[in-house]
Amino acid sequence: MNASSPHPFRRTRRNQEGRFRTLHIAAGRSLHIVAVKVVGGSASVALAHGIAKELAAPYVEVAFERHPGGFPDGERYVRLLSAVAGDHVILVQTTHPDPMIVEFLLLADAIRDAGARRITAIVPYFGYGRQDKRFLEGEAISAKTIAKHIAVDCDELLTMAVPANPEILKIFPLPTREVSGMPAIGRYLKSAKVDVILAPDEGALRLAKEASSIAGVPFDFLVKERIDSYTVKIEPKALAVRGKSVGIVDDVISTGGTIATAAKELKAQGARRVIAACVHGLFVDQAEEKLRACDDVIATDTVQSKHTKVSVASEFAAAIRTLL
Ligand code: R5P
């Protein structure tokens, strides 16, 4: 069933084990009880387990290798290890790196073929979300390309901190909602007792503002100029950071250039401690080396890394509850 098809009647109940069940009463007045189940792709197993726990929903195990070691040429394999026929399946899979996109598509297809009634895609980190426009003739609008393929089998999409302008979500060919990861980051920064939260550029200002409202501290932003993919310049801005513990928040840490440059500038202005926090930690190339400029680096579990210190499971689970 596609999300655009009408639901004559839908409501949600918890059964005795506290599991969510959605009741659909079809036009013919026959009653179907639809269980909510969670499936995690291999990029998002830990987060998917967390979401299942939050929802008290069964977790459907998946085999990712047909033979030990997988296919020698690197192709992906998936097999659902329990039934999903008639169920509302929450498929959780980050579309990064590229093989995880293929795995997402294999899972969505297998879930649909197995008879799921409804598929909600949670793409915690939307890989290829950067290109939201055709800047030069002949380019692909990559974010739309990926969304188009997600829409083949999925009824709706939840994602987080899309690197591009969030307006892109409006042209996706399936209902899409952005869920904020800032509550999780704000709670961490509050427990770390930061005095102020900064965005490394104006684009991340909305993130800093939201995190600061949770941490209960002031916020501001720095002025960034990107020279190339690896180099950024942060304009000195006289901020009252001397002797303070500062949290810098961004959507993505990729090469680490933005955060490291901001951290050096803040240290030069006398900041006592700099904690870098991001939703999606990619940490490519020499990022680890550059991030030595920070006293602590934290990322959420949208992308798993050694810096994953907070989970956004409760944020996604809360969004799912509104759909049931
Ligand atoms: C871009 O404006 C984003 O918000 C991030 O600041 C950027 O993607 C981070 O990239 P990097 O870690 O390579 O500087």
Side-chain angles (χ1 to χ4, degrees):
M1 180 172 54
N2 192 287
S4 57
S5 43
H7 292 285
F9 180 56
R10 181 192 288 167
R11 61 201 161 98
T12 304
R13 280 194 187 151
R14 275 176 185 269
N15 68 9
Q16 282 172 341
E17 298 85 50
R19 292 188 172 137
F20 278 98
R21 287 184 184 279
T22 304
L23 306 185
H24 293 257
I25 300 173
R29 297 204 177 278
S30 57
L31 179 71
H32 307 279
I33 295 180
V34 182
V36 173
K37 292 183 180 170
V38 178
V39 173
S42 64
S44 302
V45 170
L47 176 56
H49 272 288
I51 293 169
K53 196 170 166 206
E54 289 277 340
L55 293 173
Y59 187 86
V60 177
E61 294 293 342
V62 177
F64 293 107
E65 288 182 355
R66 181 157 191 177
H67 311 289
F71 292 125
D73 59 5
E75 284 186 0
R76 309 306 299 170
Y77 167 89
V78 301
R79 181 176 168 228
L80 304 171
L81 297 179
S82 54
V84 293
D87 297 334
H88 175 182
V89 175
I90 315 296
L91 169 58
V92 189
Q93 170 78 325
T94 272
T95 51
H96 171 87
D98 288 4
M100 298 300 108
I101 301 173
V102 177
E103 203 182 273
F104 177 96
L105 299 176
L106 297 178
L107 280 168
D109 195 30
I111 293 166
R112 190 58 85 187
D113 281 354
R117 179 176 287 267
R118 179 179 176 191
I119 306 177
T120 303
I122 294 185
V123 178
Y125 171 60
F126 195 94
Y128 287 87
R130 279 194 183 89
Q131 181 132 9
D132 57 358
K133 276 190 206 127
R134 186 166 284 123
F135 297 94
L136 299 171
E137 197 182 342
E139 284 182 345
I141 305 174
S142 316
K144 183 172 69 66
T145 309
I146 300 296
K148 193 161 89 181
H149 289 88
I150 291 173
V152 170
D153 283 306
C154 299
D155 296 299
E156 63 235 329
L157 167 65
L158 299 179
T159 186
M160 185 168 275
V162 181
N165 184 337
E167 288 293 303
I168 182 73
L169 305 182
K170 293 185 185 155
I171 65 153
F172 281 6
L174 76 173
T176 303
R177 194 194 313 169
E178 194 180 35
V179 175
S180 175
M182 284 304 116
I185 288 179
R187 290 192 294 273
Y188 183 94
L189 293 176
K190 184 175 187 174
S191 69
K193 297 189 172 19
V194 296
D195 301 305
V196 62
I197 293 180
L198 298 178
D201 55 37
E202 205 170 348
L205 184 59
R206 68 186 174 115
L207 307 180
K209 187 175 176 187
E210 192 183 346
S212 74
S213 73
I214 287 151
V217 296
F219 68 95
D220 202 345
F221 71 99
L222 300 164
V223 179
K224 175 175 95 175
E225 187 192 341
R226 181 166 285 286
I227 312 294
D228 59 37
S229 299
Y230 294 88
T231 327
V232 295
K233 225 169 85 186
I234 301 272
E235 289 293 321
K237 189 176 176 191
L239 293 165
V241 293
R242 183 160 299 282
K244 289 191 177 159
S245 174
V246 182
I248 320 175
V249 297
D250 208 350
D251 51 358
V252 184
I253 296 181
S254 178
T255 66
T258 299
I259 289 283
T261 310
K264 281 184 197 148
E265 180 59 34
L266 292 167
K267 286 279 174 107
Q269 291 190 28
R272 175 173 51 85
R273 190 164 175 247
V274 175
I275 302 177
C278 66
V279 181
H280 313 301
L282 304 181
F283 307 115
V284 304
D285 298 336
Q286 309 307 314
E288 294 297 343
E289 206 179 308
K290 292 181 191 161
L291 291 167
R292 287 198 197 119
C294 305
D295 298 287
D296 189 11
V297 179
I298 70 145
T300 76
D301 50 0
T302 59
V303 180
Q304 283 292 333
S305 74
K306 69 172 192 181
H307 299 293
T308 297
K309 293 176 192 160
V310 298
S311 177
V312 288
S314 64
E315 282 71 24
F316 277 119
I320 290 291
R321 283 189 201 100
T322 68
L323 298 175
L324 300 178

